[in-house]
Each structure stands twice: as C-alpha cells, then as structure tokens.
Amino acid sequence: MSEQVHDVRLHVNGSVHEVQVPARRLLSDALRHDCGLTGTHVGCEHGVCGACTVLVDGRPMRSCLMLAVSAVDSEITTVEGLTEADGTPQGRLSPVQQAFSDCHGLQCGFCTPGFLTTITAGLRDNPDPSEDEAREMIAGNLCRCTGYQNIVKSVLRAAEITAEIESGERT
C-alpha cells in the first residue's frame, strides 16, 4: 500500500516550490530532497543541534521538527537565501556570512547553515549585542569544532558590518 501524498506549495528564498510529499515529511527533508536545497543540514533529527535551522516567517525554526505540510503559507529562508542580490549570479554575502569569513567562524562547516540563519534572526531582534548577548544568541546551536570563540566574534562583526551598511559607510 503506497503512502498518500499531498500537494504542497512551499515559498522558499523568494521562489515557489510545488512538491508532493507524504504528510509526515519533515521540512528539512522536503527542502533537501524535494526542493534540491541541500544547504540545510540534518544533524541530530531531534531539534537539539540547530544544524537544520531555517527562518520561517523570519523566525528561527528547527526544520527537523516541522512537517512540510505545516509550512504552507509561510515564507521560508534557508542558508541559500541569505545572500543579497548584487547583479551577479551568486550574489553578495550577507553581513553574517561575511563576518563568518572575516572571523574564521567555521571549521568543518556542518553546523554553519544553522548558525547563519539563527544569527541573522538574532541580529534583527538585537542589532548591537554585547559579547554575552552574542553567546546567548547562539546558545541553541552546537558546534563540535570551533569552541565558539570565533562564532561569537562573527556575531559581533556581523553587527558592525550591518551598522556600517545602514550608516552608508559600507555598500
């Protein structure tokens, strides 16, 4: 007996993806397998590690805990959607992505997509965090490589870059 599938329209990174998924398909799996967006990583599959974090209507959400059918009518942003349009095919790195590059905020990179989306949302809520607030911002994401020091530096650098862009000091 085959499993019933549902027609689902997902709004991801400004594009519409029409997919057919079983009711129990996780959003992480739909993004990776049905939409072809493999930047969202699946680590623990229990919502603990944060590697699968995406933005749903601007808020961080563990995509391994959310069913794809429940994401209908929501705007989803994955790590692929964080780049900013600049007329080039690949786009310009967002302030958070640029800060990770500047501050060496990643090593193996597996956890990075979850950190990037989490920090993007966190800086919208708190655009000028202290070091302690930066640590709190990333507290729900796990990294087994970096020791978090450069990730915290990346949060603070991303806040600086964003402020420079908003003041016109940087384009």
Side-chain angles (χ1 to χ4, degrees), residues 34-46:
D34 300 306
C35 299
L37 298 168
T38 58
T40 300
H41 294 167
V42 179
C44 67
E45 297 188 85
H46 296 286

Side-chain angles (χ1 to χ4, degrees), residues 82-94:
L82 295 180
T83 55
E84 299 171 350
D86 69 351
T88 64
Q90 70 275 11
R92 178 180 61 210
L93 295 178
S94 73

